[in-house]
Amino acid sequence: EFVKNYKKPLCSDAYSGFVRIAAKEHIKEVENATRHLIHTEIPKLAATLDRLSEKNRKKLNLKEVLHENGINLRYLGLLRHTVKKTEIKAKILVEMVARVIKLNIRRKMREQMKKWKLPLEHNCRQTVIDYLNLVFGSSEESDEHFDKVLAVRMCENFVGALSPEEQKYPLKKMLSETDLCSLFSLVQEMTSLRFPRSALKEFSTDPEIYKFASPFHNTELTEIGVRIRHLNIVALAQGYVLKVGARSHSSVSVENTTRLCKLAMVKFSQALEDNPGDKRALNELADTSSILGNYQEAREYYLRAIAADPMDSNTLFRYAVFLEDKMKLNDDAEEYYLRTLEVNPTHDHCLQRYGHFLECQGNPDAAEDFFIR
């Protein structure tokens, strides 16, 4: 996203050694772009995050937001030092720690498989439980692991993860009790570790559990799952099926419609994670939010879809219909009907709909022109 929106095209082979002509110039352009990213784009995103409402701060998806703004996750540390809201600083710190723990769990599982030459789940399960107890348990070993392993790797993986002053301070003490619950939830989601519902709720909401030296037992880990990264089109298709199901049940069961819509939102959000500028996912999120009655959220998704592709006539048309039907903003709706026809003068659905709009506004003569077209 950053490279696409940057003012100058950048050479992907600038540092490869393959470029023979103007190599130094290409390197200088990449360095200037990097400085712009660090000194302009990251502070701009930090200011945006600081302005978020409490509701939006709680549901903030850092991975999606950074990708949407063209910022690599390696710059989470710089972003943390730039934002001012304590809650967001804590959220970013938890995100960085969780990603290091995820890598450590994967590495330990690979070592077990290499040792036994077989993917034996029993040995891997005990390894994972032992490591979770080391990380989340209350012990000197846990504090030491945070300072000598997690903090070091965090500084290696994330630019500016900890300031020089913070590096002298115990990392685990920088996390509050509720941060530990959030940390577990993130690690569990990233690694697809399966726990019983009751245990999952306890580890995610009760910080008292982490006052024990060994809060986890191997009987509580029911499965070491596999986190599958679907293509965007798979998640989109799954979400679309759920949304259609929600529409078909809308007259029968409000509860089931809401349930299916929420499941669809999850799928569309998954499609959006790796490509925040996907106008199809944004349109579907807007439509599903509208079904749920979350009109302000739907409007935000439509505007993001239009920003991703201002010349997409279908997105412009869908937004115009939404403004007229749901928001009752006729002036804004007319603006987007006209924008749709500017982009695609033969958009038959828009011609018919705008004609009907004009007729309802008491302008049948103008409406007839669009019906004829």
Side-chain angles (χ1 to χ4, degrees):
E1 293 295 322
F2 172 76
V3 173
K4 183 176 75 174
N5 296 322
Y6 189 59
K7 60 185 178 182
K8 291 186 69 174
L10 299 174
C11 178
S12 58
D13 288 320
Y15 287 94
S16 68
F18 297 138
V19 180
R20 299 299 182 196
I21 300 174
K24 290 183 178 179
E25 183 180 336
H26 288 310
I27 291 173
K28 185 177 180 180
E29 287 174 352
V30 171
E31 289 174 347
N32 288 337
T34 304
R35 279 191 286 271
H36 177 77
L37 175 68
I38 292 172
H39 298 296
T40 303
E41 296 302 323
I42 291 178
K44 187 190 299 183
L45 176 58
T48 301
L49 295 179
D50 283 329
R51 289 193 299 269
L52 289 177
S53 65
E54 184 179 353
K55 179 183 176 182
N56 287 333
R57 286 201 299 270
K58 286 182 178 179
K59 65 179 184 179
L60 175 64
N61 184 323
L62 285 167
K63 177 183 175 183
E64 181 183 323
V65 169
L66 263 74
H67 282 183
E68 182 184 353
N69 287 273
I71 299 171
N72 193 290
L73 288 170
R74 281 184 56 81
Y75 291 106
L76 273 170
L78 291 181
L79 180 64
R80 174 173 167 265
H81 290 299
T82 309
V83 295
K84 296 177 181 178
K85 292 283 185 181
T86 305
E87 184 181 344
I88 298 177
K89 283 180 177 287
K91 197 176 184 76
I92 295 173
L93 180 62
V94 168
E95 181 86 19
M96 291 190 292
V97 175
R99 291 186 173 278
V100 173
I101 292 172
K102 175 195 72 173
L103 295 175
N104 287 351
I105 289 175
R106 288 181 177 175
R107 178 178 56 79
K108 287 178 177 294
M109 289 174 64
R110 285 196 300 270
E111 289 172 354
Q112 279 293 322
M113 292 178 188
K114 185 177 180 181
K115 177 180 177 182
W116 296 100
K117 309 296 183 184
L118 288 170
L120 298 174
E121 187 173 305
H122 172 73
N123 292 318
C124 286
R125 180 185 280 116
Q126 190 58 54
T127 299
V128 170
I129 287 295
D130 290 343
Y131 185 65
L132 289 176
N133 281 327
L134 175 63
V135 171
F136 290 95
S138 178
S139 65
E140 291 182 5
E141 290 81 5
S142 178
D143 295 341
E144 185 177 350
H145 182 72
F146 265 83
D147 294 336
K148 294 188 176 180
V149 178
L150 298 184
V152 173
R153 289 183 178 163
M154 198 166 73
C155 291
E156 292 173 350
N157 294 349
F158 300 99
V159 179
L162 298 171
S163 67
E165 294 78 15
E166 288 175 331
Q167 291 178 33
K168 300 173 185 176
Y169 191 79
L171 176 59
K172 195 169 187 180
K173 288 185 178 179
M174 292 171 63
L175 301 173
S176 68
E177 291 182 343
T178 54
D179 285 342
L180 285 176
C181 293
S182 301
L183 179 61
F184 167 78
S185 297
L186 263 180
V187 170
Q188 186 272 328
E189 181 184 342
M190 290 176 180
T191 56
S192 294
L193 300 176
R194 306 279 191 265
F195 293 86
R197 185 174 297 178
S198 58
L200 196 60
K201 182 179 179 181
E202 185 177 26
F203 295 134
S204 302
T205 60
D206 183 10
E208 294 295 315
I209 194 71
Y210 300 120
K211 292 183 179 179
F212 297 105
S214 300
F216 297 89
H217 190 273
N218 60 9
T219 57
E220 293 175 309
L221 180 58
T222 57
E223 182 185 353
I224 298 176
V226 178
R227 185 168 173 83
I228 300 172
R229 175 178 264 178
H230 290 299
L231 292 172
N232 282 14
I233 194 170
V234 175
L236 277 170
Q238 291 172 335
Y240 185 75
V241 169
L242 288 164
K243 189 189 78 170
V244 170
R247 284 193 188 280
S248 64
H249 285 83
S250 60
S251 60
V252 180
S253 170
V254 175
E255 292 80 7
N256 199 36
T257 297
T258 301
R259 183 181 69 86
L260 291 174
C261 278
K262 287 181 177 178
L263 290 172
M265 292 287 287
V266 171
K267 293 299 179 182
F268 293 139
S269 296
Q270 287 175 358
L272 199 63
E273 273 191 9
D274 292 322
N275 184 10
D278 189 335
K279 64 184 179 184
R280 298 168 302 173
L282 289 165
N283 269 304
E284 295 299 343
L285 281 164
D287 193 27
T288 311
S289 296
S290 179
I291 296 171
L292 287 169
N294 300 330
Y295 296 145
Q296 189 55 45
E297 186 175 89
R299 190 176 190 179
E300 290 171 5
Y301 281 126
Y302 274 127
L303 290 173
R304 284 176 61 184
I306 291 169
D309 186 358
M311 302 302 288
D312 184 76
S313 59
N314 289 325
T315 301
L316 293 168
F317 174 63
R318 290 173 71 170
Y319 184 47
V321 173
F322 167 78
L323 288 170
E324 181 188 358
D325 287 352
K326 304 300 182 182
M327 302 294 289
K328 309 301 181 186
L329 298 172
N330 289 339
D331 290 344
D332 291 344
E334 183 169 22
E335 177 189 342
Y336 279 91
Y337 282 132
L338 293 173
R339 281 185 60 179
T340 302
L341 294 173
E342 283 178 16
V343 173
N344 182 3
T346 60
H347 195 298
D348 54 347
H349 290 297
C350 187
L351 289 167
Q352 184 178 1
R353 180 81 189 207
Y354 185 50
H356 178 70
F357 173 85
L358 290 171
E359 196 172 40
C360 292
Q361 297 296 309
N363 195 350
D365 293 337
E368 186 178 2
D369 292 339
F370 287 93
F371 285 136
I372 293 171
R373 283 171 62 185

